[in-house]
């Protein structure tokens, strides 16, 4: 007669008060789980990268900034004021007196600190700047522009601290910012 004890091995008996050791999964299970987590992280990162808006450094913006700079530099002087000249401020009496830049946003964004000096007899607003970034050897990388909605009072100066102007190339080492346009306040 069999009482059903044939399936119990000798190692399955545990003394009273002792705990039975838990079986550990083999190392291959941990490697498989790690691989699955890595694969999931790559998939999520790729989806986020595809869904985010494209960077501000597209070719169209770079070309429009160059065209805007060329039109400001080559604009002939007007004798009769028209509607566009009435809104534009005199950039000849405005300048950036000091500027520095640093990286922010995990090293991908440019943060520019600069001081705008307004020697005009009127206040200005909507000051647009363009910053040209270059490598250490001086070769041009990219241009970024930004419109500042703050008002710079007449015969005064205003410092703008850590203004984000956009994404920059990792090789960017130098930045030169200049004024493009401004309007009377």
């Amino acid at each position: 007669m069999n009482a059903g004890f044939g399936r119990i091995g000798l190692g399955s008996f545990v003394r009273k008060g002792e705990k039975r050791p838990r079986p550990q999964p083999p190392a291959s299970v941990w490697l498989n789980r790690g691989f699955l987590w890595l694969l999931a992280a790559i998939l999520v990162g790729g989806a986020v990268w595809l869904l985010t808006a494209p960077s501000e450094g597209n070719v169209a913006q770079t070309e429009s900034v160059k065209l805007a700079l060329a039109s400001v530099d080559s604009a002939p002087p007007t004798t009769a004021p028209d509607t566009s000249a009435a809104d534009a401020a005199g950039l000849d009496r405005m300048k950036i007196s000091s500027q520095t830049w640093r990286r922010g946003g995990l090293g991908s964004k440019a943060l520019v600190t600069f001081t705008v000096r307004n020697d005009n007899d009127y206040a200005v607003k909507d000051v647009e700047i363009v910053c040209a970034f270059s490598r250490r050897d001086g070769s041009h990388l990219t241009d970024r522009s930004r419109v500042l909605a703050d008002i710079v009072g007449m015969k005064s100066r205003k410092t703008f601290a850590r203004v984000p102007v956009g994404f920059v190339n990792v090789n960017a080492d130098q930045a030169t910012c200049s004024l493009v346009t401004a309007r009377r306040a």
Side-chain angles (χ1 to χ4, degrees):
M1 253 207 315
N2 189 359
F5 296 115
R7 289 179 279 155
I8 300 176
L10 294 176
S12 63
F13 290 106
V14 177
R15 292 186 185 162
K16 192 173 183 181
E18 289 184 14
K19 293 187 177 182
R20 176 179 286 192
R22 299 180 80 182
Q24 297 293 324
S28 63
V29 172
W30 291 109
L31 290 176
N32 287 340
R33 287 181 185 168
F35 178 73
L36 289 176
W37 279 109
L38 177 66
L39 183 62
I42 290 172
L43 287 174
V44 169
V48 168
W49 180 70
L50 288 175
L51 293 177
T52 56
S55 71
E56 297 173 9
N58 56 16
V59 175
Q61 181 183 6
T62 303
E63 292 300 322
S64 66
V65 168
K66 287 180 183 176
L67 289 175
L69 285 174
S71 67
V72 168
D73 291 339
S74 65
T78 58
T79 57
D82 59 352
T83 57
S84 63
D87 286 343
L91 288 179
D92 56 339
R93 301 202 46 147
M94 292 180 61
K95 68 178 186 176
I96 295 178
S97 60
S98 67
Q99 65 181 4
T100 59
W101 81 283
R102 68 183 192 110
R103 294 184 179 275
L106 299 176
S108 62
K109 294 182 181 180
L111 303 175
V112 180
T113 300
F114 57 95
T115 301
V116 174
R117 184 174 175 161
N118 180 13
D119 289 333
N120 291 310
D121 292 331
Y122 48 85
V124 293
K125 66 177 181 177
D126 296 336
V127 177
E128 182 178 2
I129 62 163
V130 64
C131 296
F133 293 92
S134 58
R135 289 187 176 95
R136 185 176 305 249
D137 63 359
S139 60
H140 179 74
L141 284 172
T142 186
D143 295 328
R144 296 287 177 259
S145 64
R146 176 79 191 260
V147 176
L148 306 165
D150 289 347
I151 296 176
V152 181
M154 64 179 203
K155 304 247 185 227
S156 67
R157 67 186 80 185
K158 184 167 188 169
T159 300
F160 296 91
R162 289 185 232 113
V163 176
V165 292
F167 292 104
V168 293
N169 191 308
V170 295
N171 297 319
D173 188 57
Q174 302 168 357
T176 304
C177 297
S178 59
L179 296 172
V180 179
T181 60
R183 293 185 345 164
R184 285 184 183 225

